[in-house]
Amino acid sequence: MRIGMPLSYSGGFKETVDDLATYEKAGLDIVFVPEAYSFDAVSQLGFIAARTERLEIASGILQIYTRTPSLTAMTAAGLDFVSGGRFTLGIGASGPQVIEGFHGVPYQAPLGRTREIVDICRQVWRREKVQHAGKHYNIPLPAGEGTGLGKPLKIINRPVRERIPIMIAAIGPKNVELAAEIAEAWEPFLYLPEKAERAWGESLAAGKAKRDASLPPLDVVAQMPLAIGEGLDDLLDYGRPDAALYIGGMGAKGKNFYNNLVQRYGFEPEAELIQDLYLNGKKDEAAAAVPRDLLQKTSLIGSEGHVRERLAALKESGVTTLNITPLAPDTTTRTKLIEQIKQLTTDL
């Protein structure tokens, strides 16, 4: 099981990067850089590539609506080049509030667009002359559109790899099926291993049944806050505000993918209550309404024995990359946590 770590949307970036060499030596395998409506991830990933040697880097995630498919491919090839073949392209649809509210782009056909983008990226990386006639993207533009001067082109540079790993962030049944079919990796959210089969089992099976034999086994990337020790139950509350934000505030009533997921886990009334409170401006009450059982089972917080049990459940459910957020006040303690979790996963 690989050990990864996400970087924060805001604050402390340079300080964290200063510590990455230490975390790398402690056993950290991969670092994920997000991109919501924050600083772009690409500039930060390039900075990290220059400051590390072994550590893999991944976008976690680039939104599919904000760049053309060819630019996404060029960006991935560039990051793979400057990192010496250490980059994973994480992509995802984000949500209507960000895409339409911040970028001013219609949030349409996330499944179809994702499939076409993956196809175009892989053409670029193989240094083929890019030609794609799809429902959402046409390259080159066909006759009657534009100036008529477009012609098929291939990327000038030779990419380090013709198959850069693609990770798709997905939680909806159809999106998960697509990830299992075409991607090297899948990143769910609020991953609860005991309920993963209930939430996604059919989708994963359907996608894998159509999976190209040339693709490796699907890498399943689960995010978890991490703290190991006795008497740490209060740290579970660390996850309440974020959980309430996603379950309650990331979308309108009936259009919240995260709320739908928590309902599929079996927390239907709780999910509805959290959303009602959050959308009515009662954010603290919404956070307090997040079920403790959900927080406990989507985290790695507790005694070493408890964490070992949770790791076994994660492995049993199919997780292959553990994306941890160490809950610690300083570099020394975070480093120790990375060393501990690396050893515990090695012992599984």
Side-chain angles (χ1 to χ4, degrees), residues 95-108:
Q97 286 187 323
V98 174
I99 300 306
E100 296 184 355
F102 191 69
H103 294 284
V105 177
Y107 188 87
Q108 298 172 341

Side-chain angles (χ1 to χ4, degrees), residues 303-315:
S303 67
E304 184 174 303
H306 171 75
V307 170
R308 188 180 290 108
E309 290 175 2
R310 299 308 301 150
L311 289 173
L314 288 164
K315 182 180 179 180

Side-chain angles (χ1 to χ4, degrees), residues 97-130:
Q97 286 187 323
V98 174
I99 300 306
E100 296 184 355
F102 191 69
H103 294 284
V105 177
Y107 188 87
Q108 298 172 341
L111 285 171
R113 289 179 184 276
T114 300
R115 185 182 290 277
E116 291 187 32
I117 288 168
V118 170
D119 177 65
I120 293 165
C121 281
R122 288 173 175 161
Q123 283 190 57
V124 171
W125 300 332
R126 292 192 299 264
R127 295 196 77 230
E128 298 173 0
K129 290 185 176 181
V130 179

Side-chain angles (χ1 to χ4, degrees), residues 130 139-141 148-153:
V130 179
I139 305 172
L141 281 177
L149 298 176
K151 62 180 183 179
L153 298 171

Side-chain angles (χ1 to χ4, degrees), residues 44-245:
Q44 297 176 79
L45 285 160
F47 186 78
I48 293 169
R51 297 287 299 274
T52 55
E53 296 178 0
R54 177 192 61 83
L55 193 67
E56 296 179 55
I57 59 175
S59 53
I61 56 164
L62 301 185
Q63 299 144 350
I64 62 171
Y65 296 92
T66 57
R67 296 169 175 85
T68 67
S70 294
L71 177 58
T72 298
M74 292 163 59
T75 299
L79 287 168
D80 207 44
F81 171 69
V82 298
S83 67
R86 292 184 281 139
F87 179 64
T88 291
L89 173 62
I91 58 174
S94 186
Q97 286 187 323
V98 174
I99 300 306
E100 296 184 355
F102 191 69
H103 294 284
V105 177
Y107 188 87
Q108 298 172 341
L111 285 171
R113 289 179 184 276
T114 300
R115 185 182 290 277
E116 291 187 32
I117 288 168
V118 170
D119 177 65
I120 293 165
C121 281
R122 288 173 175 161
Q123 283 190 57
V124 171
W125 300 332
R126 292 192 299 264
R127 295 196 77 230
E128 298 173 0
K129 290 185 176 181
V130 179
Q131 299 183 75
H132 181 87
K135 184 176 180 180
H136 308 289
Y137 301 103
N138 285 287
I139 305 172
L141 281 177
E145 295 187 32
T147 64
L149 298 176
K151 62 180 183 179
L153 298 171
K154 66 180 179 181
I155 190 171
I156 294 172
N157 312 86
R158 188 171 297 278
V160 175
R161 294 179 288 177
E162 69 171 28
R163 180 60 74 85
I164 295 170
I166 292 176
M167 176 184 74
I168 296 178
I171 56 175
K174 290 297 183 182
N175 303 63
V176 172
E177 180 178 335
L178 180 68
E181 178 189 348
I182 68 173
E184 279 84 0
W186 164 52
E187 183 184 33
F189 183 80
L190 275 177
Y191 188 86
L192 200 166
E194 288 87 353
K195 299 292 180 68
E197 176 66 25
R198 172 177 178 169
W200 297 303
E202 291 184 7
S203 299
L204 289 170
K208 289 177 181 179
K210 296 177 284 186
R211 190 174 179 83
D212 192 307
S214 67
L215 286 169
L218 185 67
D219 179 21
V220 179
V221 182
Q223 301 182 50
M224 299 267 164
L226 172 69
I228 302 175
E230 302 294 338
L232 299 179
D233 284 355
D234 288 349
L235 287 180
L236 288 172
D237 293 330
Y238 166 87
R240 287 188 180 279
D242 277 353
L245 167 64

Side-chain angles (χ1 to χ4, degrees), residues 10-32:
S10 59
F13 172 77
K14 288 187 176 180
E15 293 81 1
T16 301
V17 173
D18 287 341
D19 294 333
L20 281 180
T22 301
Y23 300 152
E24 189 175 24
K25 291 177 182 176
L28 189 68
D29 298 299
I30 184 168
V31 63
F32 297 83

